[in-house]
């Protein structure tokens, strides 16, 4: 099980990454996260929305309500150019963290 | 049975507790929940279980709300945008309501802008006074040397110094960086055809290093050269126009026989306006020996006008003033303990202009009267500001009656109390800002130029300085809050229901409005009384006798006995000249300070050495005893004294009393009625008149036939030009001896009249606004009264009743207050003023009552000529 704190830290890059693959709405985004993590991320559905709203206010994503006849109205979120830029930065940072941990864990115990 | 819809709507309701979620967000989450439940049901779970799982997975709403709230707070731009939009809206409403009630708006705007204009003026004046002498780079290091001595039983500080002290200080104290002495002499300056009487300043070359007077042309160091002279810009323009005079020679005639040519080596830049020390001509101190061959620089019994020292390190001040104790002994030994010095002191130059009133015989101009003027001005500006704020409050409260519906509707559609307060404060700030612009314009184009024109100087006020804006901002905020907050809070308290029902009655009977009006009337009473008192007193002073025939006397300054005799012979031909007398001093022009010694005490008195018929020529009145005999030889040891002398010395029998001056004994032969040598702002000093030797004559005075002043003056002038074409004529009408004194007191009266006019206009405007609104609000009542047959008395009674008591109370408070204020201010401002009677106060009150009757009268007239049918048709 992935801890709450770590989950909270990752929601931003995860949401941006999901939206980069195509616009989506809240329920679908959460469903995707749950599927991909195999339910191992400790995640309450409600926590997603403040993050989405924050991202929208920061201008990284934008939203619009879509109404069609056969389904319920949905609030679709779409990544902006600024959002893509932010994702690249996030990606770099996560890769750096990853690289550090990788190095630390791959070093063999000292033989001296 | 489980009802899904009911459960969802119940779940949604829990969101509403938190204001963080707007409608869209709640809807978004509702859809989320529904999608989730649909999916779960599709997996084959019961509705109830699906709902519970979805809710559980959705998580804690409280935490969510907190996160959402943080998001909103982080970016407050949206809310602030809304607020600015609201302010814009409020400002528009303000403008509209201003347009709709032009009278009230004008009253408010006019009052506030005048008050702000006055404040700007007071600020400019204070700024000017506080900047006095502050342009000197070393103002904190330069000190004036003073000494204290016992005078008439009091310790008096003097600004002069014993002659050798400057040089001694330089030798004895290495802590002192620089020393300069100052001495002034009257000379005749000649350059080509320009010949003028001038005052020349003798000083050490350090003067221009210690005081910051940069030169426009030439070299400041040249002052060390005994043959150099440095001019002020004003003098340079007077003699040479725009030409650079450096290198030219100019002649200084010290007296008939002594003169010297100086080379101009420098011209100073224009001096800043706010200064207490300046110069026209500067020459080296050593030149004093050219003026007077016997001038002894080392004589401890003689004084120089001033000695300044510069000390870099303030820590040394104490050592120096302690070290100066030893000079006291030398000095007192030299003078034989006459007017013994009790201590020396150091007066910092930076604050000298504030303190120099307490120092006698100092060379700098004092600005302490300016400091008291600042206090007056601040009081006046503050009171006027208060008056205009009160007007604003009163009119705002009363005219809110007209806007009740607007308020009611605002409140109904959800305006909170805070909204209403903000709306009214916004209105107020908009008006105050308008007033600021107008007030600034008034101050800068009216008050300041008027004042500067009246006194003939420039205060150097400029908006370019940052502090001015801080001051203006403070004025706007303070004015806005004082005038705006009470109406805003008062009005916002109204209940919507009672407003819309029309059952709310207010404004008309508001006690606070009345109290405010009362305060205004009190202040107006005080201002009017002050102004009346000042104007009456100015007239009184204009008529007050000088104690002699100042209108029928002409004087001419003469350089020596020969000049006197030649002029006397020439003027004796003029049939309009009744008598001619010589003197070495002259009333209003020159006197000597002398120490007289009774066996048991010493006094400082003014001495006038005069010719034997001087008393008759000037028209001084002998009260008792006799005047000088025309055979002046026999009266060489006789003196006349004035009444103040007798009073101050507490002499029971003045005639025959003897005292000594410099060990010579004199006898009092007569008492002269008190006369004003200098203007009425100065107390008459104890004065003695004694017979002058003809060789010391410096003035010629003529008593002339009334109405021939101008002819005799012209004649004297032309006689002089024939006798002494080289020396400028220096004479005048005795009437003009006090210079611009009468203009000055006229100015005072003018200033106070302006203040009083503003105060009364504001009070009347406020009253007018209140009465007008009151009458408008009661138009139906008056119409019914008229229909039922009420005549003028009934209407007058209806309108005036509430104001009569108020006016009575205001006068009861205002009259005694103004009496004491006038008494206090007169005591401070004038040495002599008219006897203060209650008529002065009464006159002030009458002016006020007439103005009030006129104001209310306009409204009564309006009611009287109105058609009651129209009045009753009002909705």
């Amino acid at each position: 099980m992935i801890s709450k704190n770590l989950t909270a830290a990752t929601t931003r890059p995860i949401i941006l990454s999901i939206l980069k693959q195509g616009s989506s709405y809240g329920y679908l985004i959460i469903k995707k996260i749950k599927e991909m993590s195999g339910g191992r991320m400790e995640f309450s559905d409600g926590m997603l929305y403040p993050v989405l709203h924050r991202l929208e206010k920061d201008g990284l994503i934008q939203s619009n309500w879509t109404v069609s006849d056969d389904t319920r109205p949905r609030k679709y979120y779409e990544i902006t150019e600024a959002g893509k830029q932010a994702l690249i930065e996030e990606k770099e940072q996560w890769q750096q963290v990853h690289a550090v941990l990788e190095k630390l864990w791959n070093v063999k115990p000292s033989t001296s | 049975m489980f009802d899904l819809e009911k459960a969802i709507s119940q779940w949604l309701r829990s969101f509403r507790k938190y204001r963080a979620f707007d409608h869209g967000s709640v809807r978004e989450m509702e859809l989320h929940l529904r999608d989730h439940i649909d999916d779960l049901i599709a997996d084959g779970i019961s509705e109830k279980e699906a709902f519970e799982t979805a809710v559980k997975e959705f998580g804690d709403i409280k935490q969510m709300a907190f996160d959402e709230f943080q998001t909103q707070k982080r970016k407050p731009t949206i809310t602030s945008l809304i607020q600015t939009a609201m302010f814009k809206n409020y400002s528009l409403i303000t403008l509209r309501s201003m347009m709709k009630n032009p009278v009230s708006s004008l009253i408010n705007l006019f009052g506030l802008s005048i008050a702000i204009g006055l404040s700007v003026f007071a600020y400019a004046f204070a700024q000017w006074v506080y900047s006095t002498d502050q342009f000197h780079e070393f103002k904190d290091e330069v000190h004036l040397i003073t000494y204290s001595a016992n005078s008439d039983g009091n310790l008096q500080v003097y600004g002069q110094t014993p002659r050798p002290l400057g040089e001694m200080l330089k030798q004895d104290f290495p802590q002192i960086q620089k020393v300069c002495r100052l001495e002034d002499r009257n000379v005749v300056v000649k350059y080509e055809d320009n010949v003028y009487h001038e005052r020349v300043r003798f000083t050490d070359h350090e003067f221009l290093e210690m005081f910051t007077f940069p030169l426009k042309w030439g070299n400041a160091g040249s002052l060390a050269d005994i043959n150099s002279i440095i001019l002020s810009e004003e003098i340079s323009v007077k003699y040479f126009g725009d030409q650079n005079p450096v290198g030219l020679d100019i002649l200084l005639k010290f007296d008939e026989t002594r003169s010297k040519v100086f080379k101009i080596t420098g011209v100073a830049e224009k001096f800043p306006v706010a200064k207490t020390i300046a110069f026209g001509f500067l020459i080296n101190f050593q030149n004093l020996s050219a003026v007077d061959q016997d001038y002894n620089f080392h004589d401890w019994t003689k004084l120089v006008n001033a000695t300044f020292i510069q000390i870099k390190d303030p820590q040394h001040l104490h050592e120096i003033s302690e070290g100066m104790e030893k000079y006291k002994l030398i000095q007192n030994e030299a003078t034989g303990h006459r007017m013994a010095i009790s201590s020396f002191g150091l007066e910092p130059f930076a604050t000298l202009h504030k303190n120099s009133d307490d120092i006698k015989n100092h060379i700098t101009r004092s600005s302490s009267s300016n400091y008291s003027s600042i206090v007056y001005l601040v009081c006046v500006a503050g009171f006027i500001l208060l008056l205009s704020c009160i007007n604003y409050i009163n009119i705002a409260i009363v005219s809110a009656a007209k806007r009740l519906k607007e308020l009611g509707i605002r409140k109904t559609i959800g305006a909170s109390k805070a909204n209403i307060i903000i709306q009214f404060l916004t209105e107020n700030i908009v008006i105050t800002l308008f007033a600021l612009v107008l007030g600034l314009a008034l101050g800068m184009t009216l008050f300041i130029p008027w004042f500067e024109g009246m006194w003939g100087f420039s205060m150097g006020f400029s908006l370019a300085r940052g502090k001015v804006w801080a001051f203006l901002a403070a004025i706007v905020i303070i004015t806005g809050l004082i005038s705006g907050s009470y109406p805003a809070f008062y009005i916002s308290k109204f209940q919507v229901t009672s407003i819309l029902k029309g059952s709310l009655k207010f404004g008309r009977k508001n006690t606070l409005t009345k109290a405010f009006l009362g305060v205004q009337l009190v202040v107006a009473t005080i201002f009017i009384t002050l102004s009346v008192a000042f104007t009456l007193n100015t007239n009184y002073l204009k008529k007050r006798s000088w104690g002699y025939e100042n209108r029928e006397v002409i004087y001419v300054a003469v350089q020596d006995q020969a000049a006197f005799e030649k002029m006397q012979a020439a003027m004796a031909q003029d049939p309009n000249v009744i008598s001619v007398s010589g003197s070495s001093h002259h009333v209003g022009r020159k006197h000597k300070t002398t120490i007289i010694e009774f066996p048991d005490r010493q006094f400082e008195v003014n001495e006038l050495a005069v010719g034997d018929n001087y008393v008759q020529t000037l028209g001084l009145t002998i009260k008792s005893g006799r005047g000088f005999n025309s055979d002046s030889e026999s009266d060489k040891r006789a003196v006349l004294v004035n009444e103040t002398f007798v009073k101050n010395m507490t002499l029971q029998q003045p005639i025959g009393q003897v005292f000594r001056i410099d060990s010579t004994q004199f006898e009092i032969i007569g008492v002269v009625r008190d006369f004003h040598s200098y203007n009425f702002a100065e107390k008459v000093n104890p004065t003695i008149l004694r017979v002058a030797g003809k060789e010391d004559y410096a003035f010629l005075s003529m008593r002339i036939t009334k109405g021939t002043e101008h002819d005799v003056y012209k004649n004297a002038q032309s006689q002089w030009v024939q006798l002494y074409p080289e020396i400028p004529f220096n004479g005048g009408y005795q009437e003009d001896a006090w210079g611009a004194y009468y203009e000055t007191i006229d100015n005072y009266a003018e200033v106070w009249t302006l203040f009083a006019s503003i105060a009364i206009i504001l009070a009347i405007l406020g009253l007018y606004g209140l009465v007008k609104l009151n009458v408008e609000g009661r138009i139906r009542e008056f119409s019914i009264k008229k229909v039922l047959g009420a005549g003028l008395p009934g209407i007058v009674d209806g309108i005036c009743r509430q104001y009569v008591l108020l006016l009575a109370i205001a006068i009861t408070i205002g009259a005694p207050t103004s009496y004491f204020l006038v008494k206090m201010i007169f005591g401070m401002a004038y040495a002599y003023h008219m006897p203060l009677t209650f008529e002065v106060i009464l006159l002030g009150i009458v002016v006020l009552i007439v103005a009030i009757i006129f104001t209310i009268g306009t409204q009564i007239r309006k009611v009287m000529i109105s058609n009651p049918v129209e009045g009753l048709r009002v909705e």
Side-chain angles (χ1 to χ4, degrees):
Chain A
M1 203 69 183
I2 294 163
S3 78
K4 206 173 174 177
N5 278 343
L6 188 56
T7 309
T10 53
T11 40
R12 204 171 115 110
I14 288 175
I15 291 171
L16 287 175
S17 306
I18 289 172
L19 289 178
K20 203 180 168 223
Q21 293 167 7
S23 52
S24 182
Y25 57 96
Y27 179 67
L28 217 60
I29 295 170
I30 284 195
K31 214 168 148 184
K32 206 157 193 174
I33 297 173
K34 281 181 178 166
E35 272 171 26
M36 293 180 75
S37 70
R40 280 192 306 274
M41 288 181 95
E42 196 184 331
F43 210 106
S44 64
D45 299 0
M47 296 303 285
L48 177 80
Y49 289 98
V51 182
L52 279 172
H53 297 156
R54 164 85 59 87
L55 287 173
E56 190 178 4
K57 255 168 205 168
D58 289 347
L60 302 184
I61 58 177
Q62 60 193 31
S63 69
N64 55 305
W65 284 92
T66 314
V67 187
S68 59
D69 296 336
D70 47 347
T71 58
R72 296 190 175 105
R74 313 263 186 226
K75 194 178 182 187
Y76 270 90
Y77 292 93
E78 190 186 343
I79 193 161
T80 63
E81 275 311 309
K84 286 178 188 162
Q85 201 56 45
L87 182 60
I88 292 170
E89 281 162 27
E90 284 271 354
K91 214 165 164 181
E92 267 170 26
Q93 287 174 20
W94 279 102
Q95 271 162 356
Q96 279 161 10
V97 173
H98 180 75
V100 171
L101 292 172
E102 190 97 309
K103 266 183 204 162
L104 287 169
W105 292 329
N106 282 343
V107 168
K108 286 172 186 139
S110 139
T111 48
S112 65
Chain B
M1 187 60 204
F2 177 73
D3 183 346
L4 182 64
E5 285 307 311
K6 205 172 156 191
I8 289 178
S9 63
Q10 207 155 28
W11 180 73
L12 285 173
R13 215 168 290 149
S14 58
F15 280 99
R16 287 195 198 119
K17 269 204 299 193
Y18 304 100
R19 292 201 300 165
F21 303 106
D22 59 26
H23 186 72
S25 309
V26 176
R27 176 89 177 124
E28 189 180 12
M29 284 176 276
E30 181 196 341
L31 291 167
H32 173 102
L33 199 75
R34 283 183 192 280
D35 284 347
H36 200 176
I37 292 170
D38 283 357
D39 278 1
L40 289 169
I41 291 173
D43 288 350
I45 303 173
S46 76
E47 268 190 359
K48 187 168 183 244
E49 254 177 279
F51 174 77
E52 276 164 4
T53 313
V55 167
K56 189 167 162 260
E57 285 190 20
F58 198 86
D60 185 14
I61 295 171
K62 197 171 157 191
Q63 181 59 39
M64 250 187 85
F66 180 75
D67 286 356
E68 184 84 4
F69 194 60
Q70 291 300 84
T71 308
Q72 290 178 349
K73 236 172 43 181
R74 243 164 50 97
K75 281 253 169 180
T77 43
I78 305 255
T79 22
S80 55
L81 269 174
I82 291 169
Q83 268 171 359
T84 18
M86 284 314 270
F87 273 115
K88 206 173 141 198
N89 183 23
Y90 291 156
S91 310
L92 263 175
I93 294 178
T94 311
L95 285 182
R96 286 195 190 123
S97 68
M98 275 173 78
M99 296 300 202
K100 244 169 96 183
N101 300 304
V103 177
S104 324
S105 312
L106 266 180
I107 293 175
N108 285 335
L109 210 54
F110 177 75
L112 285 173
S113 46
I114 283 191
I116 290 175
L118 268 184
S119 310
V120 168
F121 162 54
Y123 179 86
F125 183 72
Q127 188 190 44
W128 174 73
V129 174
Y130 279 104
S131 70
T132 307
D133 281 342
Q134 304 306 306
F135 62 90
H136 291 287
E137 193 183 342
F138 302 113
K139 60 179 193 286
D140 296 315
E141 296 176 8
V142 173
H143 290 73
L144 171 74
I145 301 201
T146 61
Y147 72 86
S148 315
N150 207 323
S151 154
D152 300 354
N154 298 313
L155 206 57
Q156 173 67 50
V157 181
Y158 293 83
Q160 298 148 307
T161 9
R163 275 185 195 169
L165 191 71
E167 296 210 338
M168 296 287 273
L169 283 171
K170 220 191 293 190
Q171 284 166 20
D172 294 353
F173 295 98
Q175 302 97 312
I176 298 178
Q177 267 78 35
K178 283 165 193 158
V179 176
C180 77
R181 296 161 292 178
L182 292 183
E183 187 73 53
D184 298 314
R185 287 283 191 281
N186 291 326
V187 303
V188 170
V189 176
K190 186 173 183 298
Y191 177 77
E192 290 177 351
D193 291 340
N194 289 321
V195 185
Y196 297 105
H197 286 280
E198 301 281 9
R199 206 162 167 78
V200 170
R201 185 151 269 184
F202 296 74
T203 187
D204 296 294
H205 71 274
E206 284 92 345
F207 178 82
L208 285 174
E209 297 163 16
M210 295 165 69
F211 298 97
T212 311
F213 292 117
L215 295 192
K216 187 159 85 173
W217 294 309
N219 164 17
S222 60
L223 196 56
D225 179 4
I226 195 161
N227 297 317
S228 295
I229 189 162
I230 288 176
L231 315 180
S232 69
E233 201 214 21
E234 197 186 334
I235 292 289
S236 169
V237 170
K238 179 172 168 186
Y239 284 82
F240 307 101
D242 292 336
Q243 184 198 346
N244 177 352
V246 170
L248 298 176
D249 286 339
I250 193 166
L251 179 77
L252 267 61
K253 291 179 86 167
F254 300 121
D255 57 31
E256 254 321 68
T257 53
R258 272 180 278 266
S259 64
K260 183 175 170 181
V261 173
F262 288 87
K263 187 170 284 300
I264 299 170
T265 55
V267 175
E269 275 176 21
K270 199 174 168 58
F271 302 136
V273 189
K275 60 183 183 301
T276 61
I277 193 168
F279 60 86
F281 299 83
L282 277 185
I283 56 176
N284 191 289
F285 198 75
Q286 296 302 325
N287 282 306
L288 279 168
S289 50
V291 180
D292 176 3
Q293 251 142 28
D294 302 330
Y295 192 91
N296 182 355
F297 291 94
H298 306 291
D299 185 351
W300 278 94
T301 62
K302 297 283 168 50
L303 301 169
V304 290
N305 273 355
T307 306
F308 285 97
I309 58 171
Q310 187 178 348
I311 307 157
K312 217 156 216 106
D313 189 349
Q315 286 181 328
H316 294 141
L317 281 173
H318 189 65
E319 300 163 29
I320 293 168
S321 50
E322 272 193 353
M324 278 163 69
E325 284 292 293
K326 62 180 177 219
Y327 303 129
K328 205 172 87 181
L329 297 173
I330 309 177
Q331 162 78 8
N332 289 341
E333 209 143 289
T335 56
H337 293 273
R338 210 161 41 82
M339 291 298 276
I341 288 179
S342 60
S343 68
F344 283 104
L346 297 170
E347 190 65 40
F349 182 61
T351 52
L352 183 62
H353 63 284
K354 280 185 230 175
N355 306 334
S356 55
D357 248 12
D358 302 330
I359 303 171
K360 216 169 169 176
N361 300 340
H362 59 88
I363 57 155
T364 61
R365 190 178 59 81
S366 158
S367 61
S368 63
S369 65
N370 287 339
Y371 278 90
S372 41
S373 300
I374 292 180
V375 176
Y376 290 136
L377 268 181
V378 168
C379 286
V380 168
F383 269 121
I384 302 274
L385 203 58
L386 184 73
L387 281 183
S388 55
C389 284
I390 288 178
N391 269 353
Y392 186 91
I393 295 173
N394 276 349
I395 289 177
I397 289 176
V398 177
S399 60
K402 281 190 173 174
R403 296 174 64 184
L404 279 180
K405 290 229 170 96
E406 176 195 333
L407 284 175
I409 288 165
R410 262 204 125 80
K411 283 199 150 189
T412 317
I413 58 169
S416 64
K417 204 169 153 180
N419 287 136
I420 302 281
I421 291 176
I422 288 174
Q423 182 197 345
F424 272 81
L425 281 181
T426 314
E427 283 194 8
N428 181 254
I429 285 179
V430 169
I431 290 187
T432 315
L433 280 175
F434 265 119
L436 177 75
V437 174
L438 260 174
L440 205 55
L442 267 180
M444 292 189 65
T445 60
L446 211 68
F447 292 139
I448 295 177
W450 162 76
F451 188 79
E452 287 180 341
M454 194 158 79
W455 298 100
F457 73 100
S458 155
M459 297 196 282
F461 178 72
S462 143
L463 286 179
R465 291 186 213 184
K467 273 189 191 165
V468 179
W469 293 103
F471 170 76
L472 292 176
I475 284 277
V476 170
I477 291 169
I478 292 171
T479 316
L481 284 181
I482 292 180
S483 58
S485 34
Y486 180 74
F489 283 94
Y490 178 76
I491 291 163
S492 67
K493 265 195 321 213
F494 296 149
Q495 295 292 321
V496 190
T497 44
S498 47
I499 292 178
L500 292 179
K501 250 193 270 166
S503 63
L504 190 71
K505 288 255 188 306
F506 77 103
R508 220 175 287 163
K509 292 240 158 69
N510 187 310
T511 6
L512 198 85
T513 312
K514 291 238 174 102
F516 279 154
L517 186 61
V519 172
Q520 276 189 315
L521 291 177
V522 170
V523 175
T525 313
I526 293 172
F527 271 108
I528 293 166
T529 317
L530 274 176
S531 152
V532 168
F534 268 92
T535 312
L536 288 180
N537 192 50
T538 304
N539 291 338
Y540 165 83
L541 287 180
K542 277 186 186 163
K543 285 189 200 122
R544 188 185 163 92
S545 159
W546 290 21
Y548 63 96
E549 300 297 336
N550 56 309
R551 286 167 207 280
E552 289 151 39
V553 172
I554 283 172
Y555 68 92
V556 179
V558 292
Q559 62 274 28
D560 53 19
Q561 188 182 354
F564 170 78
E565 278 164 359
K566 282 181 195 164
M567 270 305 275
Q568 187 186 28
M571 293 312 293
Q573 309 293 325
D574 192 320
N576 293 323
V577 174
I578 299 167
S579 76
V580 178
S581 170
S583 59
S584 66
H585 305 119
H586 184 59
V587 175
R589 275 280 153 265
K590 192 180 178 189
H591 72 266
K592 185 178 163 193
T593 310
T594 305
I595 294 143
I596 62 165
E597 294 165 61
F598 285 99
D600 51 340
R601 53 210 170 131
Q602 300 178 345
F603 285 104
E604 205 183 77
V605 299
N606 288 358
E607 177 191 320
L608 294 169
V610 297
D612 47 34
N613 62 342
Y614 186 82
V615 171
Q616 294 87 321
T617 305
L618 262 78
L620 296 166
T621 321
I622 307 269
K623 249 187 95 185
S624 61
R626 62 174 178 86
F628 297 119
N629 291 330
S630 39
D631 168 22
S632 54
E633 282 306 308
S634 63
D635 276 342
K636 270 240 149 33
R637 299 279 170 267
V639 291
L640 293 171
V641 298
N642 67 352
E643 290 170 302
T644 307
F645 182 99
V646 177
K647 203 176 95 207
N648 286 14
M649 314 295 149
T650 59
L651 300 177
Q652 300 302 325
Q653 258 306 326
I655 312 290
Q657 282 277 353
V658 291
F659 55 79
R660 287 176 178 281
I661 299 172
D662 279 342
S663 71
T664 311
Q665 182 166 307
F666 287 87
E667 187 189 341
I668 300 175
I669 56 162
V671 177
V672 181
R673 207 173 66 138
D674 271 342
F675 55 93
H676 293 272
S677 293
Y678 302 98
N679 60 48
F680 295 133
E682 291 182 30
K683 284 242 175 260
V684 172
N685 280 322
T687 307
I688 61 170
L689 291 100
R690 67 182 183 89
V691 177
K694 279 206 159 107
E695 65 283 1
D696 293 329
Y697 280 180
F699 291 94
L700 176 145
S701 315
M702 292 174 279
R703 176 72 172 276
I704 51 167
T705 324
K706 217 174 182 161
T708 60
E709 299 87 354
H710 193 65
D711 301 338
V712 177
Y713 182 79
K714 284 276 164 240
N715 184 19
Q717 224 172 1
S718 59
Q719 296 289 351
W720 181 270
V721 174
Q722 282 171 29
L723 289 169
Y724 299 100
E726 287 289 282
I727 301 173
F729 177 73
N730 183 7
Y733 303 100
Q734 188 66 23
E735 251 190 299
D736 297 338
W738 292 357
Y741 172 71
Y742 285 108
E743 285 168 36
T744 309
I745 57 172
D746 266 345
N747 286 351
Y748 279 125
E750 197 184 320
V751 171
W752 281 103
T753 309
L754 175 85
F755 291 159
S757 315
I758 292 176
I760 193 166
I761 287 174
L762 283 182
I764 292 300
L765 279 181
L767 183 70
Y768 175 78
L770 285 183
V771 176
K772 189 172 172 324
L773 289 166
N774 183 290
V775 169
E776 275 169 13
R778 293 164 67 192
I779 196 76
R780 233 196 289 190
E781 175 194 332
F782 289 125
S783 299
I784 293 172
K785 274 189 179 169
K786 277 178 81 174
V787 169
L788 292 179
L792 182 64
I795 302 294
V796 170
D797 180 57
I799 295 179
C800 297
R801 178 173 287 183
Q802 51 181 331
Y803 300 111
V804 171
L805 183 68
L806 201 60
L807 184 63
I809 295 173
I811 288 174
T812 319
I813 300 171
T817 316
S818 30
Y819 180 77
F820 287 112
L821 263 178
V822 171
K823 208 168 163 183
M824 192 181 81
I825 293 178
F826 272 18
M828 287 192 292
Y830 299 110
Y832 299 91
H833 59 78
M834 63 173 171
L836 256 188
T837 54
F838 285 100
E839 283 125 46
V840 178
I841 312 291
L842 206 64
L843 196 57
I845 292 169
V846 168
V847 172
L848 182 71
I849 291 179
V850 168
I852 287 173
I853 289 177
F854 178 75
T855 312
I856 299 182
T858 59
Q859 294 304 308
I860 293 176
R861 187 174 165 272
K862 206 165 131 190
V863 173
M864 285 312 291
I865 59 172
S866 72
N867 184 349
V869 179
E870 294 290 324
L872 285 171
R873 207 183 276 156
V874 173
E875 165 236 6

